[in-house]
Amino acid sequence: MKVNLFINNEDVTTEHYDEVKDPGRLSEVVGYIARGDANHIDAAVQSGHRAFQSWSQTSLEERMSILLKSAEEIERNAFFIASVTAKENGILLGRTVDEVKLGLMDMRNMIEMAPSAFQKRIIEDEGGWVSIVKRPMGVIACIVPWNAPIILTLQKITPILLAGNPIVVKPSPTASMGVVTLLRTMAKFFPPGVINVVPGGGDVGSALTSHPLVRKISFTGGGNTAVTIMKSAAETLKGVHFELGGNDPAIVLDDADLNEVAPKIVEGAFRRTGQFCFAIKRVYVPYSMYEEFYEKVCELSDSYKIGYQLNEETTMGPINNQLQYQRISELIDRLEESGANLVKLGKVLEPENWDNGYYLQPVVVRDVDPNAEIVICEQFGPVLPLIPYHTEEEVIQMANNSEFGLGSSIWSSDFDRALSVANQIEAGMTFINGHGQTLLGSKYIPFGGIKQSGIGREKSIEVFDEFIEYHGINFHKKNNVC
Ligand code: NAD
């Protein structure tokens, strides 16, 4: 499979194509992805800028209808998009099929909310008449990571397009083929230039974020990259919208039913091999139930079957890329060297292929110091520290002692008690007796984090204010200028 750049609704070939390796079968090449450069970025942004003239003038009803048609087309091609994505990024195929479905659900939810979000306000008194309209901004740069590329792309671009903005998307080098396939599938319903995608590395991202015709940058990825982007955006005073990393705490209260809670916590930590922004990254457990909880977590973690992402038996796939694999392996090495009490669990499905992919076993670390590296950093992999605590006051303080503030969860049999703790947690989102959103939460909760976990939100009705400018018109009925 050879995947090109996509600019102005045309496939664009380049001189450079990068080999895409399967992270679960390093001996196999999945395909070849075009690598863009600064000239391609310029062509893509210029094409978006030209399209802005007419796209911004289309009615909201028309944009909604185009997005709905493209959602149907994605649905028809869902399995193909998911297969390409799973093979290149290592996430389980079944989970990636679900990811496309969830992305479509998010898309349709936001389309449904758009009419209320874009209502224009008219206010009148005897001296004047005022209208306040939400207008699109222009070309928006969309930069997405590799860990859940389809859902993250769909949730990012839907409100941007609905608002009347064209997009230039820069996917991650280790998950570009699926994203280009997704966007090509959608683009046929849009006027040329509204959807453009230029794969490549940091240099291509940087050409995009510094382009003077880009009006805002919407970025999902790591904090260090966000700092670089913010500096680049400052040169032309662009706005930034960041969805960044997390270090989500799960707080088990002493009235929790461990039989119910433990499986959900383990799943909340190890889903996607721990590679998701709001994965549980540290668990706080009262001393009184620590041993029992530890035993349960180990037993559950040991039931993971580690293997190839396309194997139906597999419940934990590989790590996405070499850099990330090395980073997590070194973190585990440092833990072992420091004498940490850890266990490597799970069943290896195909031992003969262990070194032919970026495979890691799930690791549970017990009796961890609240200030240990594994507690403070975002591990973004299958390593889970369990930290014991004495009092509610102490655990709230430990949970909030972080530069991150994305998700968090409280586990208890008493809703009022859990709610009271939830109200004291510094995070964009707090879940009770689950770690993730229910269908209702997915529609209405503004998704994102505080502190170094992000700037702005995605999804929900609140997202629409991220990608618009307000335009006010004031008619003077009589001479009463203030
Ligand atoms: P990353 O920051 O390395 O890369 C993200 C994207 O930025 C990629 O497309 C990359 O090519 C691009 N990029 C790199 N350098 C750039 C530059 N100088 N200018 C512009 N673009 C540049 O992150 P990653 O490793 O792909 O993803 C993992 C991180 O993403 C984790 O920290 C994770 O928590 C975070 N994440 C956050 C959310 C969220 O919604 N909050 C969701 C998923 C992932």
Side-chain angles (χ1 to χ4, degrees):
M1 186 178 185
K2 194 174 169 187
V3 176
N4 295 312
L5 314 171
F6 190 73
I7 301 170
N8 205 35
N9 274 17
E10 284 174 12
D11 283 317
V12 175
T13 56
T14 73
E15 282 173 19
H16 303 285
Y17 284 81
D18 290 318
E19 201 175 75
V20 179
K21 290 249 174 85
D22 181 334
R25 289 281 184 273
L26 292 173
S27 53
E28 286 178 23
V29 173
V30 181
Y32 297 86
I33 182 81
R35 191 183 341 137
D37 58 27
N39 291 329
H40 296 119
I41 286 292
D42 185 50
V45 176
Q46 297 283 0
S47 114
H49 186 64
R50 282 192 301 275
F52 181 60
Q53 293 284 329
S54 54
W55 182 239
S56 58
Q57 295 304 316
T58 52
S59 66
L60 176 61
E61 290 68 29
E62 195 177 341
R63 297 197 291 269
M64 287 166 62
S65 148
I66 290 176
L67 272 141
L68 281 172
K69 277 189 219 144
S70 65
E72 282 163 21
E73 187 68 1
I74 295 168
E75 204 153 40
R76 280 191 282 275
N77 292 279
F79 189 75
F80 179 65
I81 294 167
S83 311
V84 174
T85 305
K87 224 166 148 30
E88 70 176 334
N89 84 339
I91 302 295
L92 304 183
L93 176 61
R95 193 162 285 293
T96 312
V97 170
D98 288 347
E99 181 184 326
V100 181
K101 285 186 196 150
L102 289 171
L104 287 170
M105 184 185 80
D106 288 341
M107 200 175 164
R108 289 178 169 129
N109 280 342
M110 284 185 267
I111 295 171
E112 187 192 313
M113 287 175 175
S116 342
F118 289 110
Q119 266 174 17
K120 104 170 166 193
R121 283 165 62 208
I122 295 186
I123 308 146
E124 194 169 4
D125 67 11
E126 65 283 359
W129 177 97
V130 163
S131 87
I132 301 139
V133 176
K134 294 180 184 181
R135 285 179 165 183
M137 307 176 85
V139 178
I140 308 289
C142 303
I143 302 177
V144 284
W146 45 263
N147 64 321
I150 301 302
I151 192 165
L152 293 174
T153 300
L154 286 176
Q155 80 183 38
K156 186 176 291 305
I157 67 173
T158 300
I160 297 175
L161 292 168
L162 279 169
N165 303 290
I167 54 170
V168 177
V169 179
K170 212 278 311 156
S172 164
T174 53
S176 289
M177 293 172 64
V179 172
V180 178
T181 308
L182 170 84
L183 294 170
R184 282 180 87 255
T185 306
M186 294 178 71
K188 64 176 106 165
F189 300 97
F190 287 79
V194 174
I195 294 181
N196 306 279
V197 50
V198 183
D203 56 327
V204 175
S206 165
L208 180 58
T209 57
S210 59
H211 198 292
L213 289 177
V214 167
R215 300 296 175 222
K216 189 159 184 175
I217 301 160
S218 178
F219 168 77
T220 304
N224 291 339
T225 314
V227 171
T228 310
I229 291 176
M230 206 171 199
K231 286 182 184 160
S232 157
E235 293 292 324
T236 45
L237 294 177
K238 293 180 181 58
V240 292
H241 172 254
F242 287 162
E243 294 296 339
L244 308 177
N247 187 6
D248 289 19
I251 300 176
V252 180
L253 298 183
D254 62 11
D255 59 8
D257 176 345
L258 293 191
N259 286 327
E260 271 199 25
V261 160
K264 294 179 187 166
I265 290 185
V266 170
E267 165 67 5
F270 291 150
R271 192 166 64 217
R272 293 181 171 271
T273 320
Q275 306 170 108
F276 67 108
C277 52
F278 65 101
I280 294 176
K281 303 212 171 94
R282 45 194 172 126
V283 188
Y284 295 92
V285 192
Y287 274 99
S288 59
M289 23 168 74
Y290 194 79
E291 290 306 322
E292 191 189 346
F293 184 76
Y294 172 73
E295 291 301 328
K296 284 191 195 304
V297 166
C298 286
E299 194 188 322
L300 289 156
S301 305
D302 204 31
S303 67
Y304 275 97
K305 294 177 187 157
I306 308 138
Y308 189 44
Q309 67 270 21
L310 302 191
N311 179 346
E312 282 182 7
E313 259 193 89
T314 302
T315 52
M316 183 176 282
I319 298 295
N320 170 269
N321 61 72
Q322 208 262 335
L323 203 70
Q324 197 61 14
Y325 173 76
Q326 195 179 328
R327 207 182 66 81
I328 305 163
S329 302
E330 286 172 2
L331 182 65
I332 298 168
D333 289 348
R334 281 198 295 280
L335 274 166
E336 283 182 316
E337 279 159 21
S338 71
N341 198 342
L342 65 84
V343 274
K344 295 181 181 174
L345 300 153
K347 190 179 295 153
V348 177
L349 280 182
E350 296 170 58
E352 68 281 10
N353 270 314
W354 187 254
D355 291 329
N356 195 16
Y358 299 125
Y359 294 108
L360 285 173
Q361 289 171 262
V363 174
V364 177
V365 199
R366 62 167 294 167
D367 305 324
V368 190
D369 183 283
N371 297 313
E373 180 190 17
I374 184 63
V375 180
I376 290 167
C377 76
E378 184 193 34
Q379 62 271 52
F380 220 64
V383 187
L384 185 64
L386 309 184
I387 306 115
Y389 73 87
H390 287 289
T391 64
E392 231 173 77
E393 202 180 19
E394 176 195 17
V395 76
I396 292 167
Q397 196 261 326
M398 287 197 284
N400 289 340
N401 185 23
S402 171
E403 284 311 314
F404 295 100
L406 185 58
S408 50
S409 53
I410 317 296
W411 304 79
S412 168
S413 303
D414 180 339
F415 172 72
D416 292 332
R417 187 177 170 208
L419 190 60
S420 149
V421 176
N423 278 322
Q424 298 173 70
I425 298 298
E426 295 169 6
M429 303 171 289
T430 301
F431 312 109
I432 297 176
N433 289 349
H435 199 97
Q437 295 144 324
T438 63
L439 288 179
L440 191 72
S442 187
K443 185 168 180 179
Y444 291 103
I445 286 189
F447 181 90
I450 62 167
K451 298 197 263 187
Q452 292 186 23
S453 286
I455 297 175
R457 294 291 189 273
E458 285 191 345
K459 308 209 289 184
S460 76
I461 199 159
E462 281 76 12
V463 72
F464 291 100
D465 283 349
E466 303 279 355
F467 302 106
I468 51 103
E469 299 286 7
Y470 291 100
H471 186 229
I473 301 177
N474 195 173
F475 170 60
H476 293 228
K477 287 187 181 172
K478 53 184 176 189
N479 189 11
N480 63 347
V481 176
C482 53

